[in-house]
Amino acid sequence: MSWFDFDWVGAFSDRAFGGNGCAVVHGGAVLSEKVCTAYVRETSLVECTFTGPSDVADIRVRYFLASQEIPFAGHPNIATVAAMRSRGLFDGDALTLETGAGIVSIRLNEDEIEMTQVAPKFGDLVPADLVAAAVSLPEDAIVSPPQFVSTGLPFCITVLRDHEALRAATLNVGALRNVSAKAGFSGSDMAEPFLVTLEGATDAGDTFSRLLMAPPSPAEDPFTGSATGAMAAYLWKYGLMSKESFVAEQGHDMGRPGQALVTRVGPADAITGVKVAGRGHVLMRGEVDLPEVA
């Protein structure tokens, strides 16, 4: 049997059952993609991480969806660091993670974990009618040209007019394929729009967002750290956010409220990085047997 320690962590939350859950499998970076994706499906979580030693950073982190490995993800970084700290696996207030998207720097300020995402890459603009059809909204619900942006993982950033439109959105997987094709995705890969409004879910927030997801992932992501960084870069670039730091909220209507402090590195027209900070709550821990599957 192949037993591994794991921690189940709620990221971007300081309480049980808040934020976005992620199972962190310590030492599991040696496992195959087939095993890792099977484990994600078993947990019914959006993503899980598998850690291991690194020659270029303090630790290597691999990220998996239910369908495939991805190079980077936001909330799993918060979860991984919270899990490691809870087990006393590192000292100090800083560490680095080796990811498929490069080296990610982490700083800790008491209970807050801050990751610095890489400089944003701005990709193709997407016709608003394609995005509107993909999320079952009228085209005039979109108030700024949708665009693919990546700070490690690409998302189609889509600014909506208000909370009513945000809450009314539902995913049309067939129409979503047209958006994914625009991004150059093929097969089962999907490029889900990250929907954002310029008003928080609470008085503390500056933005409120949703990420609707295609099968085999769960229908909606409670908090998406990687997309939050990309969204922030978009808002700064197009003058839709004047603050250098702001509070992003997500998941409140799912009963899993999450919150992050997002900070720009560099000027709005030449962003060199995006800092996304939040807390992590370790909900449960144990051991899991992960043998190779046929």
Side-chain angles (χ1 to χ4, degrees):
M1 293 187 290
S2 302
W3 289 95
F4 295 85
D5 292 331
F6 79 92
D7 293 295
W8 189 300
V9 184
F12 293 107
S13 178
D14 59 0
R15 66 173 180 85
F17 314 118
N20 200 351
C22 175
V24 180
V25 180
H26 300 281
V30 296
L31 293 166
S32 69
E33 180 171 345
K34 192 170 186 179
V35 171
C36 294
T37 54
Y39 179 67
V40 179
R41 291 192 295 273
E42 187 71 13
T43 65
S44 296
L45 293 166
V46 175
E47 291 153 344
C48 297
T49 64
F50 300 77
T51 70
S54 171
D55 294 329
V56 295
D58 292 312
I59 192 166
R60 181 188 179 203
V61 184
R62 296 177 68 192
Y63 310 82
F64 287 88
L65 301 169
S67 57
Q68 64 184 320
E69 183 172 6
I70 56 176
F72 174 80
H75 86 271
N77 282 336
I78 302 297
T80 299
V81 175
M84 291 175 60
R85 182 170 61 176
S86 74
R87 289 178 177 266
L89 296 178
F90 69 91
D91 296 317
D93 59 2
L95 74 160
T96 54
L97 311 180
E98 178 191 353
T99 79
I103 304 298
V104 173
S105 298
I106 301 288
R107 292 199 64 84
L108 292 92
N109 181 14
E110 296 182 351
D111 290 335
E112 192 167 76
I113 301 166
E114 178 187 82
M115 58 180 166
T116 300
Q117 298 179 6
V118 299
K121 295 181 179 179
F122 293 89
D124 289 343
L125 293 167
V126 184
D129 62 329
L130 293 185
V131 180
V135 293
S136 308
L137 291 176
E139 187 176 345
D140 64 5
I142 299 173
V143 298
S144 185
Q147 185 175 16
F148 283 103
V149 185
S150 173
T151 53
L153 196 66
F155 292 90
C156 182
I157 306 303
T158 305
V159 182
L160 300 182
R161 64 188 175 205
D162 53 29
H163 284 184
E164 182 180 0
L166 183 70
R167 291 181 170 120
T170 59
L171 194 65
N172 180 324
V173 176
L176 178 62
R177 297 189 188 282
N178 295 325
V179 177
S180 300
K182 183 69 175 175
F185 289 15
S186 61
S188 61
D189 291 345
M190 290 289 184
E192 293 96 343
F194 189 65
L195 309 176
V196 58
T197 58
L198 300 175
E199 181 184 359
T202 72
D203 291 341
D206 295 294
T207 63
F208 184 34
S209 302
R210 294 180 70 195
L211 180 68
L212 308 177
M213 305 187 75
S217 293
E220 184 168 349
D221 200 24
F223 198 99
T224 319
S226 50
T228 295
M231 172 269 290
Y234 177 100
L235 297 184
W236 286 318
K237 178 180 174 67
Y238 291 107
L240 298 174
M241 177 59 67
S242 59
K243 299 178 180 180
E244 291 187 10
S245 293
F246 70 91
V247 175
E249 295 183 321
Q250 188 180 342
H252 291 63
D253 290 347
M254 303 174 64
R256 299 194 63 89
Q259 188 179 86
L261 178 65
V262 191
T263 304
R264 188 177 74 230
V265 181
D269 59 352
I271 301 168
T272 59
V274 179
K275 296 180 180 180
V276 180
R279 299 184 178 189
H281 179 86
V282 179
L283 179 68
M284 66 179 99
R285 66 170 33 138
E287 294 182 304
V288 58
D289 180 23
L290 294 175
E292 287 296 330
V293 291

